[in-house]
Amino acid sequence: TLVHDLQSEYPKIYENISENLASVAKSINVKQHVVNVTNERRVQVPTSSSIEIHQHSPTQTTYAVNLHEVFPMDFFVPEVSSKQQTQESENGETISAIHTQMKFHDHPDSTRRFRPEFLQIYAQPIVSDAFTQWSGSTPRECEEADAEAMAASRFLRENWIPSFVKKLDNLKIRPIDSRTLTIEMHRAGINMRYLGIKYKNLLELIFFLTIF
């Protein structure tokens, strides 16, 4: 039986699950946010508003659907400078500019999401629903949530991945084959899709991969 579904035409809210989801949010460092479930009602969402909770009454079993959407989408607009990214929380015009530029670029890919290891490493919690209509209860909140997620994506590309490459170059990380390289990348919170990234600071990694 479906007992919790915020995004349906007739929303169902299972209050007992909120505490459990809040614990999940804290453990993986995602940010609670407020969404409008009806014109009159706003609710605090610990993780993703798309999570559905089902109960099997005969066995008293509770299970969840769409848990992968707890992890925010990994997306950013390359043309937005790092300086603009740091100003987004203080300057409403900058946030609006980010959203304006997003309209002229590829939309976020729901299959490309941050790894939990990166979320736990990253200093600032991110809204699970970033880049969706459920990322906040007002346009301003949505813009802030999207800008924060975009800043995390930029940090991953411009800071975190290059620092991982330096560890490879300095032999602080010594994978012996593609399997152990995958393990090390995942441990660092880096998705394997970044093996093909075209970025000048990753030339060492591209060269390194040719030995396998």
Side-chain angles (χ1 to χ4, degrees):
T1 303
L2 179 64
V3 296
H4 180 89
D5 182 7
L6 297 181
Q7 296 187 3
S8 66
E9 184 177 358
Y10 302 101
K12 297 181 178 181
I13 300 175
Y14 183 50
E15 301 291 353
N16 293 342
I17 202 64
S18 295
E19 184 176 344
N20 292 334
L21 291 178
S23 297
V24 171
K26 184 177 181 180
S27 67
I28 63 173
N29 197 31
V30 295
K31 185 178 181 180
Q32 298 194 38
H33 59 293
V34 176
V35 300
N36 300 317
V37 292
T38 66
N39 291 334
E40 298 81 22
R41 186 171 186 184
R42 305 168 69 208
V43 297
Q44 186 84 14
V45 180
T47 55
S48 173
S49 61
S50 64
I51 291 178
E52 298 177 6
I53 305 298
H54 299 256
Q55 281 189 330
H56 184 240
S57 299
T59 60
Q60 294 297 305
T61 302
T62 301
Y63 60 97
V65 177
N66 298 329
L67 278 178
H68 69 286
E69 296 190 3
V70 165
F71 307 113
M73 285 184 277
D74 178 7
F75 172 78
F76 85 125
V77 178
E79 285 76 4
V80 178
S81 69
S82 296
K83 182 178 180 181
Q84 284 176 309
Q85 289 284 5
T86 59
Q87 292 176 343
E88 74 227 356
S89 297
E90 303 171 5
N91 186 336
E93 294 181 0
T94 300
I95 295 174
S96 297
I98 290 173
H99 265 242
T100 299
Q101 292 196 50
M102 283 174 60
K103 295 179 181 178
F104 300 99
H105 293 79
D106 293 336
H107 294 292
D109 185 343
S110 63
T111 66
R112 294 178 175 237
R113 296 180 178 272
F114 292 111
R115 289 192 61 82
E117 298 92 342
F118 174 75
L119 295 173
Q120 291 171 327
I121 292 165
Y122 190 61
Q124 182 176 348
I126 310 168
V127 171
S128 295
D129 287 329
F131 306 119
T132 73
Q133 67 184 59
W134 301 89
S135 60
S137 62
T138 66
R140 171 72 185 200
E141 289 178 2
C142 291
E143 289 170 349
E144 288 182 346
D146 294 352
E148 290 170 354
M150 203 177 293
S153 186
R154 178 174 290 278
F155 174 82
L156 174 63
R157 289 165 169 79
E158 295 186 355
N159 300 94
W160 192 247
I161 293 177
S163 72
F164 178 81
V165 172
K166 287 182 179 179
K167 291 179 181 179
L168 286 174
D169 192 45
N170 296 332
L171 299 181
K172 292 182 179 180
I173 299 176
R174 301 183 182 185
I176 59 174
D177 53 24
S178 58
R179 177 178 173 275
T180 52
L181 177 62
T182 300
I183 292 172
E184 292 295 343
M185 289 183 68
H186 285 175
R187 183 177 294 156
I190 302 172
N191 301 83
M192 290 303 295
R193 64 175 176 269
Y194 283 111
L195 284 177
I197 192 171
K198 292 179 175 62
Y199 190 79
K200 63 180 180 180
N201 287 342
L202 299 184
L203 292 178
E204 298 96 330
L205 178 56
I206 295 172
F207 173 77
F208 180 80
L209 292 175
T210 62
I211 68 175
F212 295 122

